[in-house]
Amino acid sequence: MATHTFVATIEPYRKGSSFTDWVERLGYFFVVNNILGENRKAHLITLSGQAVFTQLKLLFPNGKLESATYEEIVEKLKTRYDKVPSLRVQRYQFTHRVQQPGESLEDFLLSLKMQASFCNLSDNELMLDRMVGGIRNENLKIRLLNEPDLTVEKAENIILTWEMAANSMAMMAPAVSNNYAQVGAVRRPIKERLGYKPYNREHYKRHQAEDHNYSKSKGGFGSNKNKKKKPNYSTIICDFCGVKGHPVRKCFKMKNMRREAVNFVDPGNMNSCEKYLSELMQKVRTKDSDSETDSDSDMDWKRAGSRPSGSAEGAEGY
């Protein structure tokens, strides 16, 4: 049995895309491979995929799929997958259509024409108003408003020419700026020319503040979560001295009583050097005590007006 070889292939339908466009491509597939009559129905069910076949079983229950025609299947699937909004919704979308950020002027015009076809608009003035009011470039908008006897074709020509010139200037701008930089610019530092990122103090400070705030919020360094609170002893009564305002471990009276007494040095345990120093200190103390005693006795006799007979001063007086 001979097998039929297709000239081209078509991928299964993907939910979310336009089923009308897929069926239109399928029609071209039939033309290329010379598929006519009821064979189109079999190829449609086979090539559309498992998801479409499941929907057909729901749309044509109880074995009605066998008797359904190709046109009926296509109409049911268009209604199922391509839910077209109402005419008023389509016109509302047309009147509010504007050029989106990043959208080219050419794409905007094509999308506006397609939206106008859904609205069945026959008035070119509405199309012209939406073209002028929907573009984002203010200079181009002023150019169109100042154009006398503006038509849809003339406005489209001006818009496309404007975009082509702007793209050409954008491509030439980097080359011109690079040439100017090579001629008149100051030689950059060696690290910057080698690709090192220059030090940015403000950037470093900002990141340092962000890291500090993050660690503070997480209870790290700089936060108040790990700081010890000072204990409150105002209501605590000491068990040792009975005074209010401190615990036992902070009681100064108990600490003073527990101090060790002064250890006096035993003369019998001193070595020769310690004995020599002790004798010298004893002599110094003895001399000091004798001088203090003599001076005290002299002061007493002077106050009395006489001295003993054995003294030198008493002999001279006689």
Side-chain angles (χ1 to χ4, degrees), residues 189-198:
I190 181 63
K191 285 190 174 182
E192 189 174 352
R193 284 186 279 121
L194 290 176
Y196 285 90
K197 186 177 181 181

Side-chain angles (χ1 to χ4, degrees), residues 100-155:
Q100 301 299 316
E103 184 181 15
S104 64
L105 290 171
E106 185 176 4
D107 293 341
F108 168 68
L109 292 179
L110 293 175
S111 177
L112 196 61
K113 288 180 180 179
M114 182 177 294
Q115 190 67 35
S117 64
F118 297 153
C119 301
N120 297 325
L121 293 178
S122 60
D123 191 359
N124 290 333
E125 291 296 329
L126 294 176
M127 181 67 178
L128 184 60
D129 293 342
R130 194 68 259 148
M131 290 172 63
V132 177
I135 58 178
R136 298 175 60 88
N137 195 307
E138 296 295 333
N139 295 327
L140 177 57
K141 190 177 294 185
I142 294 173
R143 169 75 173 83
L144 294 173
L145 292 174
N146 291 332
E147 186 69 22
D149 300 331
L150 187 65
T151 60
V152 174
E153 292 77 11
K154 192 174 182 180

Side-chain angles (χ1 to χ4, degrees), residues 237-243 245-258:
I237 298 176
C238 180
D239 295 334
F240 182 81
C241 64
V243 178
H246 63 272
V248 179
R249 58 188 178 85
K250 296 288 185 180
C251 184
F252 291 101
K253 183 178 289 187
M254 184 181 67
K255 290 183 178 180
N256 290 332
M257 293 182 64
R258 288 183 177 180

